[in-house]
Amino acid sequence: TRLCYEVDEDDVRRAVNQVKGNLLHETDRPQGSCQEIGRQLQTLGRRVTMKEMFERLDKINAKEVKRVANSILYDKDVVLSGIGPI
């Protein structure tokens, strides 16, 4: 739940840049491009250009990460399950 209280803007930029790099790397292969198109159609209902995707990613900031973390993680019970020796 640290994301609910303290998020460093540098960490957010680093994560966004990593996602951008992964997107570019993934779409270099035909199979990766098809998976990305399918993911976009399932989540957004349409195909998104790489430019639009990068613009959306660039809008993410520390304040937004904290807002989403608070709505999803804050004051929620954590559940953990495992198989085998833990």
Side-chain angles (χ1 to χ4, degrees):
T1 59
R2 181 180 82 83
L3 290 175
C4 296
Y5 303 107
E6 55 183 73
V7 177
D8 186 28
E9 198 66 51
D10 290 337
D11 290 338
V12 173
R13 282 297 109 223
R14 200 171 10 263
V16 165
N17 287 335
Q18 184 173 2
V19 170
K20 287 179 180 180
N22 288 344
L23 277 171
L24 288 173
H25 180 69
E26 184 176 289
T27 55
D28 276 349
R29 303 169 302 136
Q31 182 182 4
S33 292
C34 291
Q35 288 175 344
E36 184 58 31
I37 292 168
R39 190 176 5 256
Q40 291 173 3
L41 291 174
Q42 284 182 329
T43 57
L44 302 171
R46 66 184 179 87
R47 177 93 192 268
V48 178
T49 65
M50 195 63 70
K51 180 181 179 203
E52 181 183 351
M53 185 67 71
F54 279 22
E55 288 171 353
R56 286 172 171 236
L57 287 168
D58 286 336
K59 291 180 183 177
I60 298 172
N61 58 34
K63 183 178 177 182
E64 190 69 10
V65 171
K66 282 193 261 188
R67 183 190 67 76
V68 172
N70 271 302
S71 69
I72 295 173
L73 301 174
Y74 185 75
D75 202 26
K76 305 285 191 234
D77 293 331
V78 176
V79 177
L80 177 69
S81 65
I83 299 176
I86 296 179

